[in-house]
Amino acid sequence: MFAFEFSMKKSILTLIFCFLFSVPVFACLNGDTRLLTNGERLFEDFDSYVSYGHNFGGDERLKALMKSLEKGYNETKNIDYLSDQGYILIVQGKYQEAVDLYKRIESIAPGRYSTASNMGTAYELLGNNKEALFWIKKSVEISSKSHFYSEWIHINILKAKIKGEKYFTSQHLIQTDFGNDDLPKSILKTGDLERLRQQLYYQLNERVSFVMPEDKVVAQLLFDLGNICYLLGDKDDALENFEKAKEYGFDDPIVKKRMKLYSPPILDRTEKKVIKELKVQTKSVMRSELIKLIVSVLAFVFSGVLIYSFRKNIFPNFK
């Protein structure tokens, strides 16, 4: 009897400690990150195929990063510090300043991929799509492998924007479509769909970080991403991308039909809403740190409940 009670106490305590010390595993995001030359992490994304954009933090954080990068460049003359400053200028909405800085970088160290790529982004955000197309094409010539080989989508977007709205279609933007029936369909094989999903997600996640609703190109691409997710069996992400497509102005009735194809259980839907709010509302705090804090608190509360529930077994003299 004594051995049984001891074993039970040991099992309960083991369960509690395992739960507590497994918190770091639960808190891992595994999404895309960007480390700056000064060692600071500019953003960290959730591991999903829903394009919420990057969380860069607040203005004060960005100003502090700029000062740190400026100091780093002055001390080392490492051009990467300047390039990172240019990216933060884009994040701050100072597009012309970013262009001017990247022109300076190009004169110092010509032919850098980051210069061409970020110059293209800055020009596009300034509304100069022709100049943007020139620099994005140049970035692909320098490194076609970057961004998961996805810059062909960026090139197609710029070509469509130059030609006009009638080119804002799936065929022109991603060179395929998913039909007009209630159910999406595709001629692409699973492997091709998976590659396209990764590439399209990357391009969209960058784009929605800077382009606010409504935007017809983003709306169309979000709808396309939702279709790909659905075809690959990821119906939760499909539904969220369809919702975001509507938010960005996608008004084709087909989106409502495809949103009705899947209705998550009430508990799952509630959990999704909580996670969605967490993704959107965490501004100045890195999401991973916030999630670690939340999970740690929940772990502590859960452990307390366990101890209280089995207090008589663990502590026989406890009243």
Side-chain angles (χ1 to χ4, degrees):
M1 183 67 179
F2 174 78
F4 173 77
E5 289 179 354
F6 177 78
S7 177
M8 186 174 182
K9 294 176 187 177
K10 184 178 179 181
S11 298
I12 294 170
L13 289 172
T14 299
L15 175 63
I16 293 170
F17 282 111
C18 284
F19 186 83
L20 284 171
F21 289 104
S22 65
V23 167
V25 177
F26 296 145
C28 185
L29 292 181
N30 295 319
D32 189 28
T33 61
R34 175 165 179 146
L35 291 177
L36 300 173
T37 310
N38 62 357
E40 293 281 345
R41 183 174 53 194
L42 181 57
F43 62 76
E44 181 176 12
D45 296 334
F46 279 81
D47 185 16
S48 74
Y49 284 104
V50 181
S51 300
Y52 284 102
H54 307 310
N55 173 28
F56 298 111
D59 292 338
E60 293 304 315
R61 179 173 183 269
L62 293 174
K63 290 177 182 177
L65 287 174
M66 283 292 283
K67 288 182 180 179
S68 175
L69 292 168
E70 184 177 2
K71 180 181 178 183
Y73 178 71
N74 290 334
E75 292 176 349
T76 67
K77 300 305 177 184
N78 182 345
I79 208 74
D80 289 339
Y81 284 101
L82 277 185
S83 185
D84 285 346
Q85 287 183 65
Y87 187 82
I88 291 181
L89 285 172
I90 294 174
V91 173
Q92 292 176 317
K94 300 175 181 179
Y95 308 132
Q96 188 57 56
E97 289 184 43
V99 167
D100 294 340
L101 179 56
Y102 281 118
K103 285 182 178 179
R104 176 187 166 194
I105 294 172
E106 181 70 7
S107 67
I108 299 171
R112 287 169 56 93
Y113 171 81
S114 59
T115 300
S117 177
N118 291 330
M119 186 100 79
T121 297
Y123 269 122
E124 183 182 2
L125 291 169
L126 281 169
N128 190 339
N129 294 314
K130 290 184 178 179
E131 197 68 23
L133 180 59
F134 170 83
W135 284 101
I136 294 301
K137 281 184 174 180
K138 186 169 183 176
S139 74
V140 172
E141 291 172 3
I142 296 170
S143 176
S144 61
K145 297 179 181 179
S146 189
H147 299 171
F148 303 104
Y149 295 88
S150 68
E151 285 295 78
W152 64 272
I153 298 176
H154 197 170
I155 289 173
N156 285 348
I157 290 171
L158 291 168
K159 287 180 177 179
K161 290 173 75 172
I162 291 169
K163 292 179 179 179
E165 285 189 15
K166 70 177 182 178
Y167 292 91
F168 295 176
T169 66
S170 301
Q171 282 291 348
H172 284 103
L173 296 173
I174 60 172
Q175 299 171 1
T176 191
D177 63 46
F178 306 97
N180 296 313
D181 298 331
D182 289 359
L183 280 170
K185 58 183 179 181
S186 175
I187 61 173
L188 298 179
K189 296 180 180 179
T190 300
D192 294 327
L193 281 172
E194 288 174 343
R195 280 189 290 274
L196 180 57
R197 177 171 66 170
Q198 184 182 50
Q199 293 171 345
L200 184 52
Y201 166 76
Y202 184 91
Q203 287 292 321
L204 272 170
N205 211 41
E206 290 288 305
R207 190 161 290 271
V208 300
S209 300
F210 304 106
V211 179
M212 299 297 106
E214 294 181 353
D215 183 273
K216 291 185 177 181
V217 170
V218 173
Q220 179 63 56
L221 292 176
L222 283 167
F223 177 66
D224 292 331
L225 182 57
N227 287 318
I228 297 172
C229 288
Y230 188 89
L231 289 169
L232 290 174
D234 195 349
K235 296 179 181 179
D236 286 311
D237 282 0
L239 184 59
E240 288 195 58
N241 279 306
F242 288 149
E243 289 172 349
K244 285 195 68 65
K246 288 183 63 180
E247 178 187 342
Y248 269 84
F250 192 85
D251 56 4
D252 191 311
I254 191 66
V255 71
K256 293 182 179 179
K257 294 180 180 179
R258 292 186 180 172
M259 288 177 70
K260 292 178 180 178
L261 294 174
Y262 173 66
S263 180
I266 294 176
L267 287 177
D268 286 354
R269 191 157 58 240
T270 302
E271 181 184 0
K272 286 284 182 182
K273 286 182 179 179
V274 172
I275 294 174
K276 181 177 179 180
E277 285 302 310
L278 183 63
K279 291 176 181 177
V280 175
Q281 298 301 331
T282 51
K283 298 296 183 182
S284 59
V285 180
M286 279 296 172
R287 292 167 179 165
S288 58
E289 300 304 318
L290 183 61
I291 291 178
K292 287 178 184 177
L293 176 62
I294 292 172
V295 175
S296 297
V297 171
L298 291 175
F300 181 78
V301 172
F302 180 74
S303 299
V305 171
L306 277 178
I307 292 173
Y308 183 79
S309 300
F310 296 97
R311 62 191 183 282
K312 292 183 179 179
N313 292 320
I314 301 173
F315 309 108
N317 296 325
F318 183 82
K319 301 295 184 181

